Amino acid sequence: CSYINEPRLVARKFLARPQHEGVGAVVRRSIGRFELKYFDPFLVLDEFSVTAPAGFPDHPHRGFETVTYMLQGAVTHEDFEGHKGTIEAGDLQWMTAGRGIVHSEMPAAQGTQKGLQLWINLASKNKMIEPRYQEMLSKDIAETMVDGIKVRVIAGEALGVKSAIYTRTPTMYLDFSLKPGAHLQQPIPKSWNAFVYILEGEGVFGNKKSQPVTSHHILLLGSGDGLEAWNKSPKVLRFILVGGEPLGEPVVQFGPFVMNTQEEIDQTIDDFENYTNGFEKARHWRSESAL
Ligand SMILES: Nc1ccc(F)c(C(=O)c2c[nH]c3ncc(Cl)cc23)c1F
Ligand SMILES: [Fe+3]
């Protein structure tokens, strides 16, 4: 008997199409596009593809978190505090920008670097906290295999395995690979918003009679206490299941600044231009990658 009492059905489906971002980089933006500006608490989901010398040179963030999960190649990030690191395929960087970060994110290998970047909003009480990083190497990410289902637990818990990542905005972020014929039942807290983003292959989600969905599609899930998914194809199905507790607060966004009121955005722009309230070190810092 299934322990999902009220399976979530697919409420909306979008194909994420390539668009330009950064300097010469390409992203397939699903959350954050015109038709899906905000899916509380998520602001952006980018499936990025970048080949040197293109990249994401020096830019700021305030008021939210960025979660970068590498799928292929490597990206070096360096920030105005002197933090520098490289994440390779399978590695994760969970960056809490809080009151302010200025950093660059550039290709660190030959060829095309691919990955996902998710932007998670912070509650107003957390928007001005000190920045912090949680970085995990691929080998340290909790992973297990059950009945033809492999899961890498980026955040939250699945198939009896828990992530070590602390999620200030309560979030689950699960990377599933289903072998042909596998059937997944994954609980999701009823009050959370949740979506699926397909990376490889094709899968059936929600209603087992519905049409298979292919890569680069995002599926917004309706209400319920969990997700059911089936791989009825002869190839591996890989997708991420992401869920988060809605914040229910106003969102005022100006590019990489996300606050709750226009006044706070005006103040943020002033802070960034005058190097105050957390942007002090932006005055003299330039990344090594700055051309
Ligand atoms: N112009 C602009 C403005 C603000 C940004 F945050 C960015 C930016 O850095 C990214 C936006 N999508 C991303 N996907 C992956 C990676 Cl590694 C970086 C980004 C950017 F490019
Ligand atoms: Fe960034």
mmCIF file of all heavy atoms in Angstrom, residues 21-23 25 27 29 44 46-48 50 55-57 59-61 64 66 68 70 75 103 105-106 115-119 255-256, ligand 1:
data_model
loop_
_atom_site.group_PDB
_atom_site.id
_atom_site.type_symbol
_atom_site.label_atom_id
_atom_site.label_comp_id
_atom_site.label_asym_id
_atom_site.label_seq_id
_atom_site.Cartn_x
_atom_site.Cartn_y
_atom_site.Cartn_z
ATOM 1 N N GLU A 21 22.652 35.208 -20.235
ATOM 2 C CA GLU A 21 22.821 35.729 -18.861
ATOM 3 C C GLU A 21 24.319 35.922 -18.642
ATOM 4 O O GLU A 21 25.138 35.311 -19.350
ATOM 5 C CB GLU A 21 22.201 34.727 -17.872
ATOM 6 C CG GLU A 21 22.240 35.149 -16.414
ATOM 7 C CD GLU A 21 21.569 36.500 -16.161
ATOM 8 O OE1 GLU A 21 22.229 37.539 -16.397
ATOM 9 O OE2 GLU A 21 20.421 36.518 -15.724
ATOM 10 N N GLY A 22 24.671 36.779 -17.690
ATOM 11 C CA GLY A 22 26.090 37.006 -17.419
ATOM 12 C C GLY A 22 26.768 37.595 -18.641
ATOM 13 O O GLY A 22 26.184 38.393 -19.368
ATOM 14 N N VAL A 23 28.006 37.134 -18.911
ATOM 15 C CA VAL A 23 28.752 37.601 -20.095
ATOM 16 C C VAL A 23 28.960 36.371 -20.980
ATOM 17 O O VAL A 23 29.792 35.510 -20.660
ATOM 18 C CB VAL A 23 30.109 38.215 -19.684
ATOM 19 C CG1 VAL A 23 30.931 38.566 -20.919
ATOM 20 C CG2 VAL A 23 29.889 39.445 -18.809
ATOM 21 N N ALA A 25 27.114 33.779 -21.278
ATOM 22 C CA ALA A 25 26.611 32.502 -20.755
ATOM 23 C C ALA A 25 25.170 32.295 -21.231
ATOM 24 O O ALA A 25 24.482 33.241 -21.636
ATOM 25 C CB ALA A 25 26.668 32.502 -19.227
ATOM 26 N N VAL A 27 21.473 30.375 -20.092
ATOM 27 C CA VAL A 27 20.718 29.694 -19.037
ATOM 28 C C VAL A 27 19.325 29.348 -19.560
ATOM 29 O O VAL A 27 18.748 30.094 -20.365
ATOM 30 C CB VAL A 27 20.585 30.548 -17.757
ATOM 31 C CG1 VAL A 27 21.951 30.927 -17.208
ATOM 32 C CG2 VAL A 27 19.731 31.796 -17.993
ATOM 33 N N ARG A 29 16.027 29.336 -18.032
ATOM 34 C CA ARG A 29 15.416 29.829 -16.790
ATOM 35 C C ARG A 29 13.984 29.331 -16.726
ATOM 36 O O ARG A 29 13.169 29.643 -17.612
ATOM 37 C CB ARG A 29 15.476 31.354 -16.754
ATOM 38 C CG ARG A 29 14.862 31.988 -15.511
ATOM 39 C CD ARG A 29 15.378 33.387 -15.286
ATOM 40 N NE ARG A 29 16.812 33.354 -14.966
ATOM 41 C CZ ARG A 29 17.584 34.441 -14.998
ATOM 42 N NH1 ARG A 29 17.088 35.618 -15.376
ATOM 43 N NH2 ARG A 29 18.868 34.357 -14.691
ATOM 44 N N VAL A 44 14.453 31.935 -8.679
ATOM 45 C CA VAL A 44 15.064 31.590 -9.979
ATOM 46 C C VAL A 44 15.490 30.119 -9.946
ATOM 47 O O VAL A 44 15.979 29.630 -8.924
ATOM 48 C CB VAL A 44 16.322 32.465 -10.258
ATOM 49 C CG1 VAL A 44 17.173 31.904 -11.395
ATOM 50 C CG2 VAL A 44 15.935 33.916 -10.543
ATOM 51 N N ASP A 46 17.906 28.276 -12.737
ATOM 52 C CA ASP A 46 18.635 28.332 -14.013
ATOM 53 C C ASP A 46 19.367 27.021 -14.238
ATOM 54 O O ASP A 46 20.103 26.549 -13.374
ATOM 55 C CB ASP A 46 19.679 29.457 -13.974
ATOM 56 C CG ASP A 46 19.084 30.810 -14.291
ATOM 57 O OD1 ASP A 46 17.910 30.861 -14.740
ATOM 58 O OD2 ASP A 46 19.783 31.832 -14.066
ATOM 59 N N GLU A 47 19.157 26.459 -15.429
ATOM 60 C CA GLU A 47 20.015 25.355 -15.890
ATOM 61 C C GLU A 47 21.042 26.030 -16.777
ATOM 62 O O GLU A 47 20.720 26.490 -17.871
ATOM 63 C CB GLU A 47 19.203 24.318 -16.671
ATOM 64 C CG GLU A 47 20.042 23.131 -17.140
ATOM 65 C CD GLU A 47 19.276 22.134 -18.018
ATOM 66 O OE1 GLU A 47 18.083 22.380 -18.325
ATOM 67 O OE2 GLU A 47 19.874 21.126 -18.407
ATOM 68 N N PHE A 48 22.268 26.192 -16.284
ATOM 69 C CA PHE A 48 23.244 27.015 -17.004
ATOM 70 C C PHE A 48 24.215 26.178 -17.824
ATOM 71 O O PHE A 48 24.464 25.006 -17.523
ATOM 72 C CB PHE A 48 23.990 27.946 -16.038
ATOM 73 C CG PHE A 48 24.868 27.253 -15.031
ATOM 74 C CD1 PHE A 48 26.199 26.953 -15.306
ATOM 75 C CD2 PHE A 48 24.351 26.902 -13.784
ATOM 76 C CE1 PHE A 48 27.005 26.330 -14.362
ATOM 77 C CE2 PHE A 48 25.155 26.276 -12.833
ATOM 78 C CZ PHE A 48 26.481 25.991 -13.126
ATOM 79 N N VAL A 50 28.012 27.122 -19.791
ATOM 80 C CA VAL A 50 28.960 28.237 -19.992
ATOM 81 C C VAL A 50 30.326 27.690 -20.384
ATOM 82 O O VAL A 50 30.812 26.719 -19.830
ATOM 83 C CB VAL A 50 29.023 29.104 -18.709
ATOM 84 C CG1 VAL A 50 29.435 28.309 -17.493
ATOM 85 C CG2 VAL A 50 29.937 30.307 -18.909
ATOM 86 N N GLY A 55 31.145 33.713 -18.830
ATOM 87 C CA GLY A 55 30.985 33.398 -17.405
ATOM 88 C C GLY A 55 30.102 34.409 -16.712
ATOM 89 O O GLY A 55 29.339 35.128 -17.362
ATOM 90 N N PHE A 56 30.195 34.428 -15.393
ATOM 91 C CA PHE A 56 29.399 35.337 -14.578
ATOM 92 C C PHE A 56 30.356 36.189 -13.754
ATOM 93 O O PHE A 56 30.606 35.900 -12.582
ATOM 94 C CB PHE A 56 28.452 34.535 -13.686
ATOM 95 C CG PHE A 56 27.579 33.566 -14.444
ATOM 96 C CD1 PHE A 56 27.953 32.237 -14.603
ATOM 97 C CD2 PHE A 56 26.394 33.996 -15.038
ATOM 98 C CE1 PHE A 56 27.162 31.357 -15.321
ATOM 99 C CE2 PHE A 56 25.597 33.111 -15.759
ATOM 100 C CZ PHE A 56 25.985 31.795 -15.904
ATOM 101 N N PRO A 57 30.926 37.225 -14.384
ATOM 102 C CA PRO A 57 31.911 38.054 -13.669
ATOM 103 C C PRO A 57 31.280 38.856 -12.534
ATOM 104 O O PRO A 57 30.075 38.798 -12.320
ATOM 105 C CB PRO A 57 32.457 38.962 -14.762
ATOM 106 C CG PRO A 57 31.465 38.934 -15.860
ATOM 107 C CD PRO A 57 30.717 37.646 -15.761
ATOM 108 N N HIS A 59 29.591 40.357 -9.571
ATOM 109 C CA HIS A 59 28.220 40.842 -9.399
ATOM 110 C C HIS A 59 27.805 40.658 -7.947
ATOM 111 O O HIS A 59 28.351 39.823 -7.248
ATOM 112 C CB HIS A 59 27.264 40.091 -10.328
ATOM 113 C CG HIS A 59 27.235 38.624 -10.068
ATOM 114 N ND1 HIS A 59 28.151 37.732 -10.626
ATOM 115 C CD2 HIS A 59 26.437 37.875 -9.281
ATOM 116 C CE1 HIS A 59 27.889 36.521 -10.196
ATOM 117 N NE2 HIS A 59 26.867 36.564 -9.379
ATOM 118 N N PRO A 60 26.841 41.421 -7.467
ATOM 119 C CA PRO A 60 26.416 41.365 -6.068
ATOM 120 C C PRO A 60 25.182 40.494 -5.853
ATOM 121 O O PRO A 60 24.505 40.118 -6.818
ATOM 122 C CB PRO A 60 26.053 42.818 -5.769
ATOM 123 C CG PRO A 60 25.481 43.300 -7.064
ATOM 124 C CD PRO A 60 26.235 42.570 -8.157
ATOM 125 N N HIS A 61 24.914 40.185 -4.602
ATOM 126 C CA HIS A 61 23.648 39.544 -4.206
ATOM 127 C C HIS A 61 23.269 40.118 -2.845
ATOM 128 O O HIS A 61 24.155 40.384 -2.019
ATOM 129 C CB HIS A 61 23.815 38.030 -4.021
ATOM 130 C CG HIS A 61 24.081 37.253 -5.278
ATOM 131 N ND1 HIS A 61 23.099 36.948 -6.189
ATOM 132 C CD2 HIS A 61 25.224 36.712 -5.768
ATOM 133 C CE1 HIS A 61 23.635 36.242 -7.177
ATOM 134 N NE2 HIS A 61 24.923 36.091 -6.962
ATOM 135 N N PHE A 64 18.909 36.831 -0.327
ATOM 136 C CA PHE A 64 18.459 35.462 -0.630
ATOM 137 C C PHE A 64 19.646 34.513 -0.654
ATOM 138 O O PHE A 64 20.763 34.914 -0.278
ATOM 139 C CB PHE A 64 17.684 35.426 -1.971
ATOM 140 C CG PHE A 64 18.492 35.856 -3.172
ATOM 141 C CD1 PHE A 64 19.041 34.910 -4.039
ATOM 142 C CD2 PHE A 64 18.689 37.202 -3.456
ATOM 143 C CE1 PHE A 64 19.775 35.313 -5.152
ATOM 144 C CE2 PHE A 64 19.435 37.605 -4.568
ATOM 145 C CZ PHE A 64 19.976 36.655 -5.419
ATOM 146 N N THR A 66 21.834 31.407 -2.960
ATOM 147 C CA THR A 66 22.004 30.738 -4.263
ATOM 148 C C THR A 66 22.551 29.341 -4.000
ATOM 149 O O THR A 66 23.469 29.157 -3.178
ATOM 150 C CB THR A 66 23.001 31.499 -5.169
ATOM 151 O OG1 THR A 66 24.292 31.459 -4.582
ATOM 152 C CG2 THR A 66 22.555 32.934 -5.403
ATOM 153 N N THR A 68 24.191 26.298 -6.001
ATOM 154 C CA THR A 68 24.800 25.920 -7.282
ATOM 155 C C THR A 68 25.202 24.456 -7.226
ATOM 156 O O THR A 68 25.938 24.040 -6.313
ATOM 157 C CB THR A 68 26.039 26.787 -7.571
ATOM 158 O OG1 THR A 68 25.680 28.168 -7.418
ATOM 159 C CG2 THR A 68 26.547 26.555 -8.991
ATOM 160 N N MET A 70 26.723 21.427 -9.587
ATOM 161 C CA MET A 70 27.394 21.195 -10.862
ATOM 162 C C MET A 70 26.986 19.860 -11.467
ATOM 163 O O MET A 70 26.941 18.846 -10.771
ATOM 164 C CB MET A 70 28.913 21.225 -10.673
ATOM 165 C CG MET A 70 29.499 22.587 -10.346
ATOM 166 S SD MET A 70 29.077 23.878 -11.518
ATOM 167 C CE MET A 70 29.853 23.265 -13.017
ATOM 168 N N VAL A 75 33.264 25.130 -11.929
ATOM 169 C CA VAL A 75 33.134 26.591 -11.824
ATOM 170 C C VAL A 75 33.939 27.050 -10.612
ATOM 171 O O VAL A 75 33.892 26.414 -9.551
ATOM 172 C CB VAL A 75 31.636 26.996 -11.669
ATOM 173 C CG1 VAL A 75 31.500 28.396 -11.074
ATOM 174 C CG2 VAL A 75 30.930 26.928 -13.026
ATOM 175 N N HIS A 103 30.668 38.618 -5.859
ATOM 176 C CA HIS A 103 31.519 37.492 -6.267
ATOM 177 C C HIS A 103 31.496 37.325 -7.778
ATOM 178 O O HIS A 103 30.732 37.975 -8.479
ATOM 179 C CB HIS A 103 31.090 36.222 -5.550
ATOM 180 C CG HIS A 103 29.786 35.637 -6.012
ATOM 181 N ND1 HIS A 103 29.376 34.380 -5.649
ATOM 182 C CD2 HIS A 103 28.798 36.120 -6.809
ATOM 183 C CE1 HIS A 103 28.212 34.124 -6.188
ATOM 184 N NE2 HIS A 103 27.828 35.158 -6.905
ATOM 185 N N GLU A 105 31.649 33.985 -10.745
ATOM 186 C CA GLU A 105 31.464 32.533 -10.925
ATOM 187 C C GLU A 105 31.865 32.240 -12.372
ATOM 188 O O GLU A 105 31.143 32.598 -13.297
ATOM 189 C CB GLU A 105 29.999 32.164 -10.669
ATOM 190 C CG GLU A 105 29.539 32.463 -9.238
ATOM 191 C CD GLU A 105 28.049 32.693 -9.122
ATOM 192 O OE1 GLU A 105 27.538 33.727 -9.580
ATOM 193 O OE2 GLU A 105 27.372 31.798 -8.566
ATOM 194 N N MET A 106 33.063 31.638 -12.532
ATOM 195 C CA MET A 106 33.655 31.516 -13.861
ATOM 196 C C MET A 106 34.037 30.071 -14.166
ATOM 197 O O MET A 106 34.390 29.313 -13.256
ATOM 198 C CB MET A 106 34.893 32.407 -13.956
ATOM 199 C CG MET A 106 34.633 33.887 -13.695
ATOM 200 S SD MET A 106 33.485 34.620 -14.866
ATOM 201 C CE MET A 106 34.544 34.818 -16.311
ATOM 202 N N GLY A 115 25.302 23.146 -15.088
ATOM 203 C CA GLY A 115 24.824 22.926 -13.726
ATOM 204 C C GLY A 115 23.501 23.626 -13.516
ATOM 205 O O GLY A 115 22.892 24.119 -14.466
ATOM 206 N N LEU A 116 23.075 23.638 -12.248
ATOM 207 C CA LEU A 116 21.819 24.266 -11.867
ATOM 208 C C LEU A 116 22.117 25.327 -10.827
ATOM 209 O O LEU A 116 22.961 25.105 -9.938
ATOM 210 C CB LEU A 116 20.870 23.220 -11.256
ATOM 211 C CG LEU A 116 20.423 22.085 -12.178
ATOM 212 C CD1 LEU A 116 19.730 20.989 -11.373
ATOM 213 C CD2 LEU A 116 19.511 22.602 -13.284
ATOM 214 N N GLN A 117 21.432 26.480 -10.935
ATOM 215 C CA GLN A 117 21.508 27.455 -9.855
ATOM 216 C C GLN A 117 20.083 27.817 -9.442
ATOM 217 O O GLN A 117 19.290 28.260 -10.286
ATOM 218 C CB GLN A 117 22.285 28.712 -10.227
ATOM 219 C CG GLN A 117 22.481 29.608 -8.983
ATOM 220 C CD GLN A 117 23.480 30.720 -9.165
ATOM 221 O OE1 GLN A 117 23.127 31.846 -9.532
ATOM 222 N NE2 GLN A 117 24.761 30.415 -8.954
ATOM 223 N N LEU A 118 19.799 27.566 -8.184
ATOM 224 C CA LEU A 118 18.477 27.838 -7.598
ATOM 225 C C LEU A 118 18.622 29.026 -6.652
ATOM 226 O O LEU A 118 19.587 29.075 -5.873
ATOM 227 C CB LEU A 118 18.003 26.594 -6.813
ATOM 228 C CG LEU A 118 16.712 26.708 -6.027
ATOM 229 C CD1 LEU A 118 15.505 26.786 -6.974
ATOM 230 C CD2 LEU A 118 16.563 25.510 -5.077
ATOM 231 N N TRP A 119 17.708 29.971 -6.755
ATOM 232 C CA TRP A 119 17.708 31.111 -5.839
ATOM 233 C C TRP A 119 16.549 30.932 -4.868
ATOM 234 O O TRP A 119 15.385 30.823 -5.300
ATOM 235 C CB TRP A 119 17.526 32.433 -6.586
ATOM 236 C CG TRP A 119 18.669 32.851 -7.468
ATOM 237 C CD1 TRP A 119 19.722 32.075 -7.873
ATOM 238 C CD2 TRP A 119 18.861 34.138 -8.057
ATOM 239 N NE1 TRP A 119 20.557 32.814 -8.683
ATOM 240 C CE2 TRP A 119 20.046 34.081 -8.810
ATOM 241 C CE3 TRP A 119 18.141 35.329 -8.028
ATOM 242 C CZ2 TRP A 119 20.532 35.171 -9.533
ATOM 243 C CZ3 TRP A 119 18.618 36.425 -8.746
ATOM 244 C CH2 TRP A 119 19.808 36.337 -9.477
ATOM 245 N N GLY A 255 17.026 42.811 -10.001
ATOM 246 C CA GLY A 255 18.140 41.937 -10.412
ATOM 247 C C GLY A 255 18.547 41.038 -9.267
ATOM 248 O O GLY A 255 17.739 40.270 -8.753
ATOM 249 N N PRO A 256 19.795 41.170 -8.825
ATOM 250 C CA PRO A 256 20.289 40.268 -7.773
ATOM 251 C C PRO A 256 20.068 40.789 -6.357
ATOM 252 O O PRO A 256 20.700 40.333 -5.412
ATOM 253 C CB PRO A 256 21.786 40.201 -8.069
ATOM 254 C CG PRO A 256 22.105 41.534 -8.645
ATOM 255 C CD PRO A 256 20.871 42.006 -9.364
HETATM 256 N N1 LIG B 1 23.916 39.279 -14.891
HETATM 257 C C1 LIG B 1 23.697 38.621 -13.699
HETATM 258 C C2 LIG B 1 22.984 39.214 -12.684
HETATM 259 C C3 LIG B 1 22.799 38.512 -11.495
HETATM 260 C C4 LIG B 1 23.317 37.228 -11.350
HETATM 261 F F1 LIG B 1 23.184 36.559 -10.189
HETATM 262 C C5 LIG B 1 24.001 36.622 -12.368
HETATM 263 C C6 LIG B 1 24.555 35.266 -12.187
HETATM 264 O O1 LIG B 1 25.667 35.189 -11.716
HETATM 265 C C7 LIG B 1 23.827 34.058 -12.574
HETATM 266 C C8 LIG B 1 22.550 33.984 -13.057
HETATM 267 N N2 LIG B 1 22.263 32.672 -13.289
HETATM 268 C C9 LIG B 1 23.335 31.899 -12.972
HETATM 269 N N3 LIG B 1 23.477 30.566 -13.056
HETATM 270 C C10 LIG B 1 24.655 30.033 -12.686
HETATM 271 C C11 LIG B 1 25.705 30.806 -12.219
HETATM 272 CL CL1 LIG B 1 27.190 30.040 -11.778
HETATM 273 C C12 LIG B 1 25.565 32.179 -12.111
HETATM 274 C C13 LIG B 1 24.352 32.733 -12.510
HETATM 275 C C14 LIG B 1 24.198 37.318 -13.529
HETATM 276 F F2 LIG B 1 24.886 36.715 -14.519
#
